[in-house]
Amino acid sequence: MSSQSLHFFTPSSTACPNITFPKPSLPFPNRRSPFASSPRTFSIRAVSASSDPNPAPPPVVVADNGAGSRVVAAADSSSIDVDKVTEAELKENGFRSSRRTKLVCTIGPATCGSEQLEALAVGGMNVARINMCHGTREWHKRVIERVRRLNEEKGYAVAIMMDTEGSEIHMGDLGGAPSVKAEDGEVWTLSVRAYDGNRPERTITVNYDGFAEDVQVGDELLVDGGMVRFEVIEKIGPDVKCMCTDPGLLLPRANLTFWRDGSLVRERNAMLPTISAKDWLDIDFGIAESVDFIAVSFVKSADVINHLKSYIAARSRDNDIAVIAKIESIDSLKNLKEIIEASDGAMVARGDLGAQIPLEQVPAAQQRIVEVCRQLNKPVIVASQLLESMIEYPTPTRAEVADVSEAVRQRSDALMLSGESAMGQFPDKALTVLRSVSVRIEKWWRDGKHHEAMELPAVGSSFSDRISEEICTSAAKMANNLEVDALFVYTKTGHMASLLSRCRPDCPIFAFTTSTSVRRRLNLQWGLIPFRLGFSDDMESNLNRTFSLLKARGMIKSGDLVIAVSDMLQSIQVMNVP
């Protein structure tokens, strides 16, 4: 293998580093640079791949299956795993048309069956979200088992996110009804009583014991961020009589906020713990089931995230569960940077956020959250009411489509369906709308070369991390300038793949990892196509073997231009597929 290298030597003392520009030399086929094996250098190399398209593979590769055990896999065509929907999309439409924005679907009564889950996977679902506000743990356990079986038997890589309920004020279960319609002018009773039998008509239970003491006559109660609005007209002991002023659909466990003289009333509500006793039991359940993500509701500070991550580390066999902070309160916005730094990602929960700040401030808050996550190299999900009308209707409003396209233009990592997929009448169609709008806006972005001039500050704390950042930034710029077909990244932890995703290059990013759990978690990040592949520390062998396996599956072809980086050998390699 011939190459030309520019080497940067790290100093061994306090003296300034020497920068050496080696003189051009004659190419030596199939020989690596003499500096390539040095752990104190990295190189930027333009490389011609070996002419042998079928090199002898390593005899055995040891890989972590993400469940605490070790799997020994032979290095043959069966040892590379990729989501079959992505594989079909690449074969049919090519690299440039592949979707970059990831899709999260909340699983509920409308989509909990095996056939419905497979339909969502075929439609492009990357992450299945289970909401612990609804259903029993046994019900959620069955959903998790079905998703895992779908991955194993059908070749998908759907990750699982568990969303905690949180301890903010919310309604009860509506007596078992899936939903109840509140009409204009109706009088309802909100009570902290515990009803043993049938509750009176138009009565809603509230989980917060101090509710009747905190509210006052004349206060406005907003249900689920304003989907229904009540005015308090009378207080009778533990009961609060309210008149419906804005009709709508009441859902079980919907969040409640109350306003007085145009301002949010926080009082005891602000003192409630972020993680309730029930949440800790749900978190234990999520750890036992080895979910990929735990989303924490109503995060107020970074301390909550740090405490939860320590708890998971002490109880999880592999500590492979990522923590997602839901940004949905005033406190979250006040401590935004610290919360995101502590977390593994964030969710813009616009419904509840819109109940705590003026509606006109929500778009600016969303953009700020997306930008901070991008700067800190954390995936961000835009959620809540993206296609709310599709809960009942087969087509979205044009305003909803514009809202989705704006989230894609902001380069969010993922979009999330809530009620649309959990209980809506058209979950498959709603997912199709998200996918088609994402693909169209991404194509407009690439074709128009709308590269944003967003400054990406350094996030690495060590010199080695800084080198990885520089390599990924340079590789992404080269990919855009050279119009390469794909970026290849070989990563054991997923970190270098996330750095490439952060740069938002034009081409897709093929992320190769040995761990099944890392592969699933990478499914949440923009532009990444995660593969499970056993590989060694020999980059030339890895590349030739990868080319062989992907060509055999029809995913790449001879002549395709790729750039490869690795967290094992810090280098950039530009090559044509042989």
Side-chain angles (χ1 to χ4, degrees):
M1 180 179 291
S2 61
S3 66
Q4 291 183 341
S5 303
L6 176 61
H7 299 277
F8 297 84
F9 293 83
T10 43
S12 57
S13 66
T14 56
C16 294
N18 295 320
I19 302 180
T20 304
F21 298 88
K23 296 180 179 179
S25 59
L26 294 175
F28 295 92
N30 298 321
R31 285 185 59 184
R32 301 176 65 184
S33 164
F35 301 104
S37 60
S38 171
R40 303 182 69 84
T41 71
F42 71 92
S43 59
I44 302 176
R45 302 185 293 174
V47 183
S48 298
S50 169
S51 59
D52 181 5
N54 297 294
V60 176
V61 176
V62 180
D64 184 354
N65 71 353
S69 59
R70 304 289 284 175
V71 174
V72 179
D76 54 21
S77 60
S78 65
S79 65
I80 186 169
D81 298 327
V82 64
D83 182 82
K84 75 174 189 177
V85 174
T86 303
E87 180 179 1
E89 187 178 84
L90 290 174
K91 289 179 181 178
E92 181 178 354
N93 301 317
F95 294 127
R96 291 281 164 175
S97 63
S98 64
R99 172 174 48 85
R100 313 294 200 268
T101 307
K102 302 304 178 72
L103 306 178
V104 183
C105 296
T106 303
I107 307 303
T111 48
C112 62
S114 298
E115 292 183 0
Q116 293 96 331
L117 287 169
E118 183 170 6
L120 292 178
V122 170
M125 174 178 67
N126 301 109
V127 179
R129 171 182 176 251
I130 56 174
N131 187 357
M132 302 308 289
C133 287
H134 310 284
T136 64
R137 295 187 188 102
E138 290 73 22
W139 185 89
H140 291 301
K141 182 179 177 67
R142 289 194 294 271
V143 171
I144 293 172
E145 290 172 347
R146 289 167 187 160
V147 173
R148 294 271 164 80
R149 190 180 312 120
L150 188 67
N151 288 343
E152 293 172 4
E153 297 178 358
K154 299 296 181 70
Y156 299 103
V158 178
I160 297 171
M161 175 184 295
M162 190 195 81
D163 198 328
T164 65
E165 182 176 321
S167 59
E168 296 292 295
I169 300 175
H170 57 259
M171 302 188 314
D173 289 326
L174 302 179
S179 62
V180 178
K181 186 68 179 291
E183 300 288 355
D184 189 25
E186 290 182 343
V187 176
W188 288 69
T189 300
L190 277 68
S191 177
V192 297
R193 299 172 187 263
Y195 291 94
D196 295 330
N198 294 330
R199 72 191 67 186
E201 186 179 3
R202 296 178 186 167
T203 298
I204 301 171
T205 58
V206 179
N207 73 322
Y208 174 40
D209 290 339
F211 176 72
E213 299 174 12
D214 279 353
V215 298
Q216 297 179 9
V217 173
D219 286 351
E220 282 191 312
L221 301 182
L222 272 64
V223 180
D224 203 10
M227 301 309 293
V228 182
R229 190 183 300 262
F230 291 102
E231 180 182 345
V232 177
I233 58 175
E234 187 179 8
K235 295 170 59 176
I236 309 174
D239 301 335
V240 178
K241 298 288 185 180
C242 304
M243 179 187 298
C244 179
T245 56
D246 278 343
L249 204 61
L250 298 171
L251 302 177
R253 303 282 178 172
N255 178 251
L256 282 174
T257 55
F258 45 104
W259 293 66
R260 185 177 303 143
D261 299 327
S263 299
L264 177 70
V265 178
R266 303 177 70 218
E267 298 182 6
R268 298 185 190 180
N269 185 30
M271 303 304 295
L272 293 172
T274 299
I275 303 179
S276 67
K278 176 184 179 297
D279 290 337
W280 284 115
L281 294 175
D282 289 338
I283 288 167
D284 285 337
F285 166 78
I287 293 172
E289 294 298 320
S290 298
V291 299
D292 301 291
F293 306 95
I294 293 179
V296 186
S297 298
F298 298 101
V299 177
K300 297 180 176 71
S301 70
D303 292 340
V304 174
I305 299 297
N306 291 326
H307 181 43
L308 176 56
K309 293 179 80 169
S310 297
Y311 185 84
I312 293 172
R315 287 159 176 78
S316 176
R317 289 170 295 182
D318 303 308
N319 194 25
D320 277 343
I321 300 175
V323 176
I324 305 295
K326 295 178 67 177
I327 310 299
E328 50 190 341
S329 69
I330 294 175
D331 296 300
S332 299
L333 293 177
K334 288 180 179 177
N335 303 307
L336 182 62
K337 185 175 180 181
E338 293 79 8
I339 289 172
I340 294 176
E341 283 179 331
S343 70
D344 300 307
M347 181 189 298
V348 190
R350 305 180 304 174
D352 289 318
L353 184 62
Q356 297 210 7
I357 65 175
L359 294 175
E360 64 272 14
Q361 294 181 16
V362 173
Q366 172 180 316
Q367 183 162 355
R368 179 188 168 207
I369 297 166
V370 171
E371 289 179 353
V372 171
C373 285
R374 175 91 175 276
Q375 289 172 345
L376 297 177
N377 192 32
K378 304 295 175 74
V380 59
I381 307 164
V382 173
S384 304
Q385 304 168 353
L386 284 171
L387 300 172
E388 190 78 7
S389 68
M390 293 193 74
I391 293 177
E392 299 184 51
Y393 301 102
T395 57
T397 67
R398 302 308 176 260
E400 289 171 334
V401 172
D403 179 38
V404 171
S405 67
E406 176 61 21
V408 177
R409 278 198 296 268
Q410 290 175 358
R411 318 309 286 275
S412 306
D413 288 87
L415 307 176
M416 191 180 92
L417 295 175
S418 298
E420 304 95 328
S421 59
M423 63 173 195
Q425 299 183 42
F426 309 97
D428 298 346
K429 290 185 177 181
L431 184 59
T432 297
V433 170
L434 280 193
R435 187 184 68 242
S436 60
V437 172
S438 298
V439 170
R440 180 65 186 88
I441 297 302
E442 290 165 358
K443 184 178 185 300
W444 166 81
W445 195 281
R446 291 192 301 272
D447 291 350
K449 297 295 181 183
H450 298 284
H451 297 296
E452 72 277 30
M454 181 177 182
E455 183 179 353
L456 296 177
V459 293
S461 57
S462 68
F463 186 64
S464 178
D465 286 342
R466 293 294 301 275
I467 291 176
S468 295
E469 288 179 34
E470 293 294 336
I471 287 175
C472 290
T473 301
S474 299
K477 290 180 180 178
M478 291 174 67
N480 290 341
N481 293 337
L482 298 176
E483 297 185 352
V484 305
D485 295 297
L487 274 160
F488 284 15
V489 55
Y490 296 83
T491 176
K492 294 181 179 179
T493 65
H495 177 63
M496 210 157 184
S498 70
L499 289 172
L500 282 175
S501 171
R502 179 194 190 207
C503 295
R504 303 297 195 258
D506 282 351
C507 64
I509 304 165
F510 286 21
F512 302 97
T513 181
T514 58
S515 168
T516 303
S517 59
V518 171
R519 176 193 171 206
R520 288 196 303 264
R521 287 203 307 276
L522 292 178
N523 236 346
L524 185 62
Q525 296 190 256
W526 190 95
L528 297 183
I529 300 176
F531 294 76
R532 204 285 307 166
L533 172 69
F535 50 75
S536 67
D537 290 341
D538 184 345
M539 274 298 292
E540 184 173 351
S541 173
N542 291 334
L543 286 168
N544 285 321
R545 178 165 167 263
T546 303
F547 290 153
S548 178
L549 292 172
L550 294 182
K551 285 174 68 176
R553 298 179 72 143
M555 298 183 68
I556 62 173
K557 62 183 184 300
S558 296
D560 286 340
L561 183 63
V562 301
I563 290 178
V565 299
S566 167
D567 59 14
M568 298 167 294
L569 177 64
Q570 293 177 319
S571 66
I572 301 175
Q573 301 184 22
V574 183
M575 68 210 75
N576 289 104
V577 176

